[in-house]
């Protein structure tokens, strides 16, 4: 389980108050769910969005039944991770009055994890046909941090061009590519490697793994 160790928590980063987290239908749902757990346990307010395809992937990869209704999803994950009341809010894909739909009330950062190449392409094209795409469009236009976590291989020239276009627009492409220099022993170690990098980029302290040059291994 996720444990905060005071001796390994970074305090030199500007901690975000609110993060929009979106799950789409790419493989890699363990990254997204673990990220949600870590954000809530760190006391970060989360706006959660997910696509219908993400529901299928969650059941396939984690045997996790994502509720169809946003209200049920917020209650489900809050209970699962012991989140404080009101810390997690979930919104449907057509819920246009959600805070994330407007530049007048954007989150401090947005993460799409996992991110399909279709979602990535839509954002690169400036589309906003659903709340996930609109929230990403808002993050870009308001110069807020936007992290896209694709898990796809191999990558076509179209994929790469879309990634380059988004990078030039200010988004961060953080592919779900775990490293091995920390000697992972379990699948969870590999998941935590990627989640740790995401948390670093959005400025949320964590103790998921030792940092480069630090001795020892972080206890679970």
């Amino acid at each position: 389980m996720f444990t905060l160790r005071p001796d390994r928590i970074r305090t030199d980063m500007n901690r975000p108050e609110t993060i929009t987290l979106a799950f789409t239908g790419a493989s890699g749902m363990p990254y997204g769910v673990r990220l949600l757990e870590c954000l809530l346990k760190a006391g970060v307010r989360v706006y959660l969005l997910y696509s219908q395809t993400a529901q299928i992937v969650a059941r396939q990869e984690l045997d996790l039944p994502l509720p169809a209704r946003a209200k049920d999803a917020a209650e489900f994950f809050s209970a699962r991770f012991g989140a404080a009341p009101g810390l997690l809010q979930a919104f449907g894909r057509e819920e246009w009055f959600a805070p994330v739909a407007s530049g007048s009330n954007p989150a401090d950062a947005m993460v799409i994890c996992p991110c399909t190449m279709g979602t990535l392409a839509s954002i690169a094209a400036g589309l906003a046909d659903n709340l996930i795409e609109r929230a990403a469009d808002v993050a870009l236009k308001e110069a807020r941090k936007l992290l896209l976590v694709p898990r796809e291989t191999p990558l076509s020239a179209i994929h790469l061009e879309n990634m380059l276009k988004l990078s030039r627009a200010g988004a961060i492409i953080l592919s779900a590519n775990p490293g091995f220099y920390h000697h992972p022993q379990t699948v969870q170690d590999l998941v935590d490697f990627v989640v740790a990098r995401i948390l670093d980029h959005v400025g949320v302290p964590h103790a998921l793994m030792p940092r480069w040059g630090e001795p020892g291994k972080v206890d679970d």
Side-chain angles (χ1 to χ4, degrees):
M1 295 296 294
F2 176 77
T3 304
L4 290 177
R5 282 180 47 178
D7 61 317
R8 289 186 180 273
I9 295 176
R10 293 182 62 183
T11 59
D12 58 339
M13 293 182 289
N14 293 324
R15 178 190 174 95
E17 293 185 359
T18 305
I19 288 180
T20 301
L21 174 59
F23 303 155
T24 63
S27 178
M29 194 59 64
Y31 297 115
V33 174
R34 178 62 160 162
L35 176 59
L36 175 60
E37 177 187 5
C38 293
L39 291 173
L40 293 176
K41 287 185 179 295
V44 177
R45 183 171 58 180
V46 177
Y47 294 148
L48 179 64
L49 322 171
Y50 56 84
S51 67
Q52 291 178 323
T53 312
Q55 293 177 258
I56 298 173
V57 175
R59 186 176 290 276
Q60 173 69 24
E61 296 187 342
L62 294 173
D63 197 25
L64 182 67
L66 287 180
R69 296 197 314 164
K71 179 181 178 181
D72 294 339
E75 294 175 353
F76 172 79
F77 281 116
S78 293
R80 182 183 180 94
F81 298 133
L87 199 61
L88 173 63
Q89 296 180 58
F91 301 98
R93 57 180 279 121
E94 305 295 335
E95 203 164 337
W96 297 110
F97 285 100
V100 298
S102 173
S104 67
N105 194 18
D108 299 308
M110 179 175 182
V111 182
I112 304 180
C113 177
C115 182
T116 64
M117 287 301 163
T119 299
L120 191 148
S122 294
I123 299 169
L127 302 181
D129 292 336
N130 57 59
L131 189 58
I132 293 176
E133 295 170 5
R134 172 56 183 170
D137 187 59
V138 167
L140 285 176
K141 80 183 185 70
E142 298 297 327
R144 301 298 176 95
K145 188 163 288 187
L146 173 64
L147 273 79
L148 308 179
V149 187
R151 199 238 51 87
E152 185 65 87
T153 190
L155 297 171
S156 71
I158 294 174
H159 298 154
L160 294 169
E161 287 171 355
N162 285 333
M163 289 181 184
L164 179 58
K165 185 176 182 180
L166 283 168
S167 181
R168 286 173 171 164
I172 296 173
I173 309 298
L174 199 158
S175 297
N177 297 330
F180 293 87
Y181 53 79
H182 62 306
H183 302 292
Q185 301 299 306
T186 65
V187 172
Q188 188 64 57
D189 290 340
L190 297 174
V191 171
D192 283 353
F193 181 95
V194 173
V195 172
R197 300 295 292 128
I198 298 170
L199 292 171
D200 283 346
H201 276 276
V202 295
V204 175
H206 66 86
L208 293 182
M209 57 178 292
R211 299 184 181 279
W212 183 258
E214 290 185 356
K217 176 179 173 58
V218 175
D219 297 329
D220 291 334

